[in-house]
Amino acid sequence: MVKQNGSEIAKSGFQSEKDIVNKFNNWKEDEDSKQWLKIMGYKLSEIISVKSNTIRNNKTDIQVKISRTDTEHTDTHNIQVKSLSSYRGFNQVDKRWIDNYQKMWNIPDDITELLKYYTGELKPCTDDDKKRIYLNEFSAKQQKDILNFFNDNKIWIICDLLRGRGPYSTEWILVVQKTDNIRWILQPINKVINYYSKGEVFITPKGNLKIGKISMQRKGGDKGKKSANMLQFKINPAKLFEI
């Protein structure tokens, strides 16, 4: 897989998803987009046109439509963009209320209730004004039930978190890292899913959950608003440069 560094990126800039759209639309002159198209399996000599646009409120950030000389069919590709400004660069991949996850993944009612205590959506009945319960503070049986659910449904959950569902499910992930040297990498979603699936499902010493290489935690922040009690999942996209 191609990893790109250097002057071409610096000259053109990656300030927003619209810039990446413009690079695709200007594919005949843009060296980065030529590399992307090759990674996606195209011969530049067979491309007639490339049209790209941004997509809102979906796993996909950019949709690219490609016309070729060898077919009347137009290929459509959905690309998720991760922009990093540091070497670690942990990035949220999904955030919802627990009831929404329950509907998506058929989470049992008892596990759903425990997760709501974990995020603080439900307040624990204690004398010390505690606002939430960390996963490692539940009983041994409750912890086992949580682990069993996420372990049994691990691949399904990770696919939803990274690829999503429906017409705008992601096919490719483009990571752009803007540190001392700007670099990018474009990876197919199946390879990304395989990578982040590696590893066990376990409760961390801080009382959060790891699902392979994906972290689950309470959203937090939001200046105390109710939305702080949502559940979120995070990855380190910079790791995709290493696979």
Side-chain angles (χ1 to χ4, degrees), residues 68-104:
R68 310 194 318 260
T69 57
D70 59 338
T71 178
E72 295 181 358
H73 176 73
T74 299
D75 299 334
T76 300
H77 296 277
N78 294 332
I79 302 174
Q80 185 178 149
V81 179
K82 296 296 182 187
S83 182
L84 309 178
S85 57
S86 68
Y87 289 103
R88 288 179 61 83
F90 279 93
N91 193 287
Q92 176 182 283
V93 292
D94 209 271
K95 172 195 69 180
R96 304 172 197 245
W97 290 105
I98 290 169
D99 283 341
N100 292 332
Y101 285 122
Q102 182 182 31
K103 293 175 183 177
M104 285 174 60

Side-chain angles (χ1 to χ4, degrees), residues 46-201:
E46 296 178 352
I47 296 176
I48 298 173
S49 67
V50 177
K51 296 181 180 179
S52 177
N53 61 279
T54 56
I55 302 294
R56 299 293 182 187
N57 302 318
N58 281 281
K59 291 294 182 189
T60 290
D61 298 304
I62 293 172
Q63 189 171 79
V64 181
K65 295 185 177 182
I66 301 169
S67 299
R68 310 194 318 260
T69 57
D70 59 338
T71 178
E72 295 181 358
H73 176 73
T74 299
D75 299 334
T76 300
H77 296 277
N78 294 332
I79 302 174
Q80 185 178 149
V81 179
K82 296 296 182 187
S83 182
L84 309 178
S85 57
S86 68
Y87 289 103
R88 288 179 61 83
F90 279 93
N91 193 287
Q92 176 182 283
V93 292
D94 209 271
K95 172 195 69 180
R96 304 172 197 245
W97 290 105
I98 290 169
D99 283 341
N100 292 332
Y101 285 122
Q102 182 182 31
K103 293 175 183 177
M104 285 174 60
W105 300 331
N106 297 322
I107 304 176
D109 289 342
D110 58 336
I111 303 297
T112 298
E113 184 178 43
L114 293 175
L115 292 175
K116 287 183 178 181
Y117 280 119
Y118 165 65
T119 62
E121 188 176 351
L122 291 178
K123 305 302 179 186
C125 298
T126 61
D127 296 329
D128 56 2
D129 198 30
K130 196 169 187 176
K131 295 182 179 180
R132 55 181 294 219
I133 302 175
Y134 288 90
L135 297 182
N136 55 2
E137 295 176 324
F138 289 122
S139 70
K141 181 184 183 304
Q142 289 170 329
Q143 292 184 47
K144 183 178 179 181
D145 289 343
I146 292 170
L147 290 172
N148 285 344
F149 172 79
F150 281 97
N151 193 58
D152 291 345
N153 297 281
K154 179 181 176 184
I155 298 302
W156 178 22
I157 289 170
I158 290 177
C159 285
D160 273 346
L161 294 176
L162 298 178
R163 179 165 54 204
R165 305 181 189 181
Y168 294 117
S169 59
T170 296
E171 297 171 81
W172 298 87
I173 290 187
L174 175 64
V175 180
V176 179
Q177 190 175 49
K178 297 175 283 188
T179 51
D180 295 335
N181 292 312
I182 301 175
R183 61 177 182 165
W184 59 256
I185 189 164
L186 180 65
Q187 298 278 21
I189 191 61
N190 286 341
K191 188 174 181 180
V192 173
I193 289 171
N194 288 338
Y195 174 75
Y196 287 106
S197 298
K198 292 178 181 177
E200 301 297 322
V201 177

